[in-house]
Amino acid sequence: MDAKAGAQEKFREAETGILELSHRIHAHPELGFEEEQASKWLADALDAAGFDVKRGICDMPTAFVARCGSGPLHIAICAEYDSLPGIGHACGHNMIAAMAVGAGIAAAKVADDAGLTISVIGTPAEEVGNASGKILLLERGAFAGIHAAMMVHPAPLDMLEAKLIAASMFDVFYTGKEAHASAFPEQGINAADALTLAQTAIGLLRQHLRQSDRVHGITTHGGDAPNVIPAHTSARYIIRAENIDELQDVRAKVRRCFEAGAVATGAKMEIRGDDKPYANMIYDHEISAVYRRNSEALGRPFPKLPAMFERLAASTDMGNVSHAVPSIHPMIGINSLPAANHQPEFTAHCIMPDADKAVVDGSMAMAWTAIDLAQTASLRERLLRASSAGSAGAQASA
Ligand SMILES: [Zn+2]
Ligand SMILES: [Zn+2]
């Protein structure tokens, strides 16, 4: 039996448990850095499958690494398992988690024969937008010695190399002074006005942003009572751009908008976050091509995308990994249109039969890709040569 058939046979034995894991995580959504149950379930499943599991790595209680095999080519498969506030697993990270375990277990079966070491890395808090799990794991050396990294992410349709741009998240706090809103308003400093002015300035700024730039946010505190001049308001914003350099430029412009609110009202402004941004994704096209062939061999071709996908640009901390280690991040379709990621309708799709089929295909496509990387001499040698991943990762995410 060849390696790929062996991996597939192993996956079939595990399949029921893998799908059950996807559904269980979906039913118990946990926010970033709080994924206690999900990380435990994944680590337990890999432990039971014979992996050497280390929990709570790099000072993150919900991060883990599970290793199997001792071949020269060391492949990381990244698991994400955080959800979104209020709408649960609307990004399908339950499926990412299940696919990482599925691919790991399938590839582990043949790892030594194929010349592979497989690390399933549990990466917390992908959705937080700044100083996320993979960024901290990279800084703290969890990707040291890794030759290539991969993960598969759910989406409405299959996409081999979706556009993934740089991003950063931050909180803005305004501090003014309370006053009776009717009797003595002249004594107040209105922190809500400061935020309104900043939002107006950002609205005007949009004329001057590049097509690929993004600015979006929410008010996290708008005041406490309509008859008290608000002394404390806050907002949470994400800025995005094609790459880290262009992000600096957007950041400077958006900060001036927030400063404008403070200047006009006399409120004080403080910004927290925005110190460890997400980098744009650099795809390793050669590994992507291997994944494409395996996906197609599993009966899952990559469709021509409809027009609504033309402006699509999202972000992920896998981008930071890709600056340190040759990486891929294919999207796997769950046939959810018109529902798409970050909608509650998409949450519902992430445990439907098409999602389960995607978990099976994504697991196998990653396991087969790992096998191909180890067994294709030119590719294997290139990846083995460029192996200073961990230290480069710390620099890339700084
Ligand atoms: Zn998401
Ligand atoms: Zn996601």
Side-chain angles (χ1 to χ4, degrees):
M1 188 184 293
D2 75 356
K4 286 186 177 178
Q8 192 162 31
E9 184 185 272
K10 182 69 191 173
F11 181 80
R12 289 213 178 97
E13 288 168 23
E15 181 176 325
T16 305
I18 297 296
L19 294 178
E20 193 271 332
L21 190 58
S22 172
H23 288 229
R24 193 171 1 141
I25 294 170
H26 187 274
H28 298 90
E30 299 167 295
L31 297 177
F33 293 120
E34 298 172 6
E35 314 98 324
E36 290 169 25
Q37 297 183 104
S39 62
K40 180 180 186 305
W41 293 332
L42 296 175
D44 287 350
L46 290 160
D47 198 355
F51 280 70
D52 175 22
V53 181
K54 292 191 173 62
R55 302 167 194 245
I57 59 167
C58 299
D59 292 324
M60 278 179 277
T62 60
F64 68 87
V65 61
R67 186 170 296 182
C68 201
S70 55
L73 189 71
H74 192 168
I75 305 291
I77 300 171
C78 294
E80 295 174 1
Y81 29 79
D82 59 327
S83 65
L84 288 153
I87 51 173
H89 275 292
C91 212
H93 293 188
N94 60 301
M95 296 172 57
I96 300 176
M99 285 187 280
V101 173
I105 289 176
K109 161 83 173 171
V110 297
D112 282 332
D113 290 343
L116 278 169
T117 299
I118 298 287
S119 281
V120 178
I121 303 183
T123 68
E126 190 280 328
E127 295 284 3
V128 299
N130 184 64
S132 62
K134 291 187 202 67
I135 292 174
L136 299 178
L137 285 164
L138 271 166
E139 283 185 357
R140 297 170 188 177
F143 286 86
I146 301 286
H147 298 111
M150 64 176 92
M151 58 173 282
V152 173
H153 197 299
L157 300 172
D158 289 80
M159 288 175 270
L160 189 62
E161 295 187 343
K163 187 170 181 180
L164 297 171
I165 61 177
S168 190
M169 191 273 287
F170 55 90
D171 288 289
V172 182
F173 300 88
Y174 286 111
T175 306
K177 185 171 172 36
E178 294 90 345
H180 193 296
S182 173
F184 303 104
E186 69 279 9
Q187 292 189 14
I189 296 174
N190 196 321
D193 287 354
L195 184 51
T196 302
L197 283 161
Q199 289 170 326
T200 305
I202 289 167
L204 293 170
L205 172 65
R206 293 189 190 283
Q207 180 183 0
H208 307 283
L209 295 176
R210 288 168 291 244
Q211 292 254 332
S212 49
D213 295 338
R214 304 275 193 276
V215 182
H216 47 97
I218 57 166
T219 299
T220 48
H221 190 72
D224 296 297
N227 55 357
V228 180
I229 299 291
H232 301 282
T233 59
S234 58
R236 178 166 288 177
Y237 267 72
I238 296 178
I239 53 175
R240 307 190 199 227
E242 196 82 31
N243 53 49
I244 292 284
D245 281 347
E246 293 189 2
L247 191 70
Q248 309 282 22
D249 174 55
V250 180
R251 169 186 292 136
K253 289 173 176 165
V254 170
R255 283 206 180 210
R256 285 200 294 274
C257 294
F258 284 110
E259 284 162 8
V263 170
T265 59
K268 289 195 174 62
M269 185 199 72
E270 188 196 348
I271 288 181
R272 288 183 214 151
D274 191 24
D275 56 337
K276 295 180 191 291
Y278 290 16
N280 57 301
M281 181 77 198
I282 301 171
Y283 291 99
D284 188 298
H285 303 307
E286 215 178 348
I287 304 179
S288 284
V290 173
Y291 181 89
R292 173 198 282 277
R293 283 197 293 280
N294 284 317
S295 180
E296 287 170 351
L298 289 159
R300 181 177 280 277
F302 288 86
K304 184 173 163 20
L305 297 173
M308 70 179 279
F309 285 76
E310 278 167 19
R311 86 182 286 283
L312 182 153
S315 309
T316 169
D317 56 2
M318 194 65 183
N320 301 65
V321 174
S322 78
H323 284 244
V325 182
S327 300
I328 59 168
H329 184 284
M331 300 286 190
I332 197 155
I334 64 169
N335 194 26
S336 63
L337 286 177
N341 303 56
H342 294 204
Q343 293 185 301
E345 295 84 355
F346 192 83
T347 310
H349 274 279
C350 286
I351 46 167
M352 285 187 183
D354 281 324
D356 288 351
K357 174 83 166 64
V359 168
V360 173
D361 292 345
S363 299
M364 282 319 308
M366 278 198 285
W368 283 0
T369 298
I371 292 167
D372 282 336
L373 297 185
Q375 297 193 331
T376 308
S378 58
L379 205 42
R380 179 184 66 235
E381 295 313 316
R382 171 170 71 84
L383 295 174
L384 286 171
R385 272 199 306 275
S387 66
S388 58
S391 53
Q395 287 154 20
S397 66

